[in-house]
Amino acid sequence: MTDAALSPAAAKAPGKPSPFNELEVLWVRHWTDSLFSFGVRRPEDFRFRSGEFVMIGLPGQDGGKPVLRAYSIASPCWAEELEFFSIKVADGPLTSRLQKIQPGDTVLMGKKPTGTLVLDALTGGERLFLIGTGTGLAPWLSVARDPETYSRFGHVYVIHTVRGVADLAYRDFFSREIHEDPLIGDEAKAQLTYYPTVTREDFENPGRITDRIKSGDFFRDLGLPEGFDPARDRAMLCGSMAMIKEVGELLETYGLKEGSNAEPADYVLERAFVG
């Protein structure tokens, strides 16, 4: 995910409707010096599938073009507000400013959500592995709160790899709070497993998720047979390019095939963020 200025052709032209919504910021939460989340008021006509992303931005400075960036929507498709999870980049064209927003401020949001991290891009299976690094956790906050996820899969695994323990944003949510969700709490309690790993500090599950998969520790920790089974396992990948490439290759060695909205298959990744 990279910051990008809106092209002149996409900027609002006289007599044409704006290509984005202007939305009120409802709340902001700073997890660490490098991570924060915020919520905005959802437009009444905005519809999306859990796991999709949309462009988020701020007006340009000194009359310049708006600056936008692709963000996974961290809210499920039924939510009345839209939540986003972001890094902070000191010199980033967007995030250097976005991290300073306060409730009552206005942000810009595109009107056309899209993406491949959706259930529609997967064929049927028994177990769903949602594997993310850093802010790549965001789409899993959406997918894991969608009732359809628990209807389609018997068990859901949310895997989150970060550098430091403090970077495990939403750890309490996946460990405890999701069980109190009025819509899917019972299903999550019975069918969801949260599996965090930390690479640069002591932790119960140390190291990169790719290393833990290769060593077999990942499967032993979860009480699963070693390896992924294309007959029953499905996966979604989001986060660092290195992780996505490596895990994708691992899944392929086990016989899983990459899917898309046009051709659903065994695993999906968000190419808009990696290439």
Side-chain angles (χ1 to χ4, degrees), residues 65-117:
K65 297 186 297 291
V67 180
L68 301 172
R69 171 184 171 183
Y71 274 87
S72 292
I73 304 169
S75 305
C77 61
W78 51 263
E80 296 182 358
E81 69 176 45
L82 302 177
E83 181 174 350
F84 298 94
F85 182 31
S86 179
I87 58 172
K88 303 176 185 179
V89 180
D91 57 353
L94 176 60
T95 55
S96 62
R97 297 169 55 205
L98 192 64
Q99 65 182 284
K100 299 175 184 177
I101 58 173
Q102 299 291 330
D105 289 346
T106 297
V107 298
L108 306 177
M109 185 184 77
K111 295 182 178 180
K112 296 181 178 181
T114 189
T116 56
L117 300 178

Side-chain angles (χ1 to χ4, degrees), residues 66-251:
V67 180
L68 301 172
R69 171 184 171 183
Y71 274 87
S72 292
I73 304 169
S75 305
C77 61
W78 51 263
E80 296 182 358
E81 69 176 45
L82 302 177
E83 181 174 350
F84 298 94
F85 182 31
S86 179
I87 58 172
K88 303 176 185 179
V89 180
D91 57 353
L94 176 60
T95 55
S96 62
R97 297 169 55 205
L98 192 64
Q99 65 182 284
K100 299 175 184 177
I101 58 173
Q102 299 291 330
D105 289 346
T106 297
V107 298
L108 306 177
M109 185 184 77
K111 295 182 178 180
K112 296 181 178 181
T114 189
T116 56
L117 300 178
V118 293
L119 296 177
D120 292 342
L122 294 175
T123 54
E126 298 175 25
R127 302 184 298 210
L128 175 62
F129 295 88
L130 305 174
I131 305 174
T133 56
T135 55
L137 180 73
W140 314 156
L141 286 158
S142 179
V143 173
R145 285 185 279 183
D146 191 324
E148 185 182 354
T149 301
Y150 301 96
S151 297
R152 288 191 52 181
F153 296 94
H155 208 96
V156 179
Y157 299 88
V158 174
I159 298 105
H160 190 203
T161 294
V162 296
R163 293 178 178 180
V165 176
D167 299 324
L168 288 173
Y170 296 97
R171 183 182 184 185
D172 288 344
F173 174 77
F174 280 115
S175 298
R176 183 184 71 256
E177 295 167 9
I178 194 172
H179 301 155
E180 306 303 321
D181 188 290
L183 188 60
I184 51 85
D186 291 342
E187 289 82 357
K189 188 177 297 184
Q191 297 172 244
L192 184 141
T193 297
Y194 172 62
Y195 185 84
T197 84
V198 174
T199 63
R200 297 187 181 181
E201 291 182 22
D202 290 336
F203 191 66
E204 59 198 73
N205 304 320
R208 300 164 64 236
I209 185 58
T210 47
D211 292 339
R212 297 193 71 79
I213 291 172
K214 290 177 180 178
S215 69
D217 288 339
F218 171 73
F219 302 102
R220 286 188 287 272
D221 290 343
L222 296 175
L224 299 174
E226 187 167 338
F228 294 100
D229 181 355
R232 63 187 303 188
D233 293 334
R234 301 294 178 261
M236 294 182 175
L237 314 178
C238 189
S240 74
M241 289 187 288
M243 182 278 289
I244 289 175
K245 183 177 185 295
E246 192 169 357
V247 173
E249 291 173 351
L250 285 170
L251 294 173

